[in-house]
């Protein structure tokens, strides 16, 4: 006895293989086209990263920053008045010379250059206002301060001044010499 299936018989066709025509190889892209594609891909990646960052940090509470709380200096630098003068004459002269170098400029190779900037000795001479004894004492203390820091092989204040390409070290030495003169009571 043959049993019949309640379902009709399905006739399955034999599998056929179809050959898909091979895609033509991509034409060579020019450099500009490749850069455009890479730019588009990188832009998409950066956009995705920005969204991921926003999602990942949304739970972190933040407060807006007021720039007035962060910036504590004036936006435009202003010249400050010179500090209170040292009570001793040589120290006060060196302090004034330091301030003159800060405000009027420093130079190398001349007592005063065409712009009015001065060397270390030129600033001392200008601030001594013709008092050659006070000028000599200040130059002597300055040379002593230089030799303490840089050794006894420094011949003179002008040679030390001219050996530097920027004002940083000469100005620092004039300031240190003012403190040394004050400590000595000069």
């Amino acid at each position: 006895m043959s049993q019949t299936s309640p379902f009709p018989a399905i006739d399955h066709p034999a599998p056929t293989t179809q050959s898909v025509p091979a895609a033509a190889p991509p034409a060579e892209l020019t450099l500009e086209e490749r850069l455009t594609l890479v730019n588009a891909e990188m832009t998409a990646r950066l956009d995705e990263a920005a969204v991921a960052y926003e999602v990942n940090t949304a739970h972190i509470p933040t407060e807006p920053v007021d720039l007035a709380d962060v910036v504590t200096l004036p936006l435009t630098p202003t010249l400050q008045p010179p500090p209170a003068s040292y009570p001793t004459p040589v120290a006060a002269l060196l302090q004034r010379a330091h301030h003159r170098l800060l405000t009027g400029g420093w130079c190398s190779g001349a007592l005063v250059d065409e712009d009015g900037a001065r060397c270390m000795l030129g600033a001392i001479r200008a601030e001594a206002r013709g008092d050659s004894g006070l000028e000599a004492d200040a130059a002597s203390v300055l040379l002593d301060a230089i030799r303490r820091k840089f050794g006894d092989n420094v011949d003179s204040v002008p040679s030390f001044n001219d050996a530097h390409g920027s004002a940083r070290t000469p100005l620092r030495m004039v300031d240190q010499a003012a403190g040394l003169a004050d400590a000595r009571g000069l």
Side-chain angles (χ1 to χ4, degrees), residues 3-9:
Q3 289 186 347
T4 60
S5 169
F7 301 105

Side-chain angles (χ1 to χ4, degrees), residues 152-176:
D152 289 333
N153 59 344
V154 177
D155 294 332
S156 65
V157 172
S159 67
F160 177 81
N161 183 83
D162 295 346
H164 289 85
S166 74
R168 192 181 85 205
T169 302
L171 263 71
R172 186 177 71 235
M173 292 313 303
V174 173
D175 187 45
Q176 288 179 7

Side-chain angles (χ1 to χ4, degrees), residues 103-160:
T103 58
W106 170 86
C107 73
S108 176
L111 286 175
V112 182
D113 72 3
E114 61 275 357
D115 297 328
R118 297 180 179 271
C119 72
M120 299 163 76
L121 190 58
I124 290 172
R125 187 165 289 167
E127 291 300 326
R129 297 180 182 94
D131 187 342
S132 59
L134 188 60
E135 178 185 332
D137 290 344
S140 175
V141 171
L142 177 57
L143 184 59
D144 189 35
I146 292 169
R147 285 180 174 163
R148 284 180 170 208
K149 182 80 173 178
F150 294 96
D152 289 333
N153 59 344
V154 177
D155 294 332
S156 65
V157 172
S159 67
F160 177 81

Side-chain angles (χ1 to χ4, degrees), residues 78-86 92 94-100 102-103 127 129:
T78 57
L79 290 176
Q80 300 296 321
S85 187
Y86 283 112
L94 287 165
Q95 186 178 34
R96 289 192 312 270
H98 180 258
H99 185 70
R100 179 178 286 260
L102 282 173
T103 58
E127 291 300 326
R129 297 180 182 94

Side-chain angles (χ1 to χ4, degrees), residues 21-105:
E28 286 295 319
L29 297 175
T30 66
L31 177 63
E32 290 298 319
E33 292 169 334
R34 288 188 308 209
L35 288 175
T36 302
L37 289 174
V38 168
N39 186 24
E41 182 180 351
M42 292 307 295
T43 301
R45 285 184 181 181
L46 287 172
D47 290 343
E48 287 177 19
V51 169
Y53 175 79
E54 291 296 325
V55 168
N56 291 335
T57 59
H59 68 283
I60 300 173
T62 58
E63 294 180 25
V65 176
D66 184 11
L67 288 181
D69 295 337
V70 178
V71 179
T72 59
L73 299 174
L75 296 177
T76 306
T78 57
L79 290 176
Q80 300 296 321
S85 187
Y86 283 112
T88 58
V90 174
L93 168 62
L94 287 165
Q95 186 178 34
R96 289 192 312 270
H98 180 258
H99 185 70
R100 179 178 286 260
L101 290 171
L102 282 173
T103 58

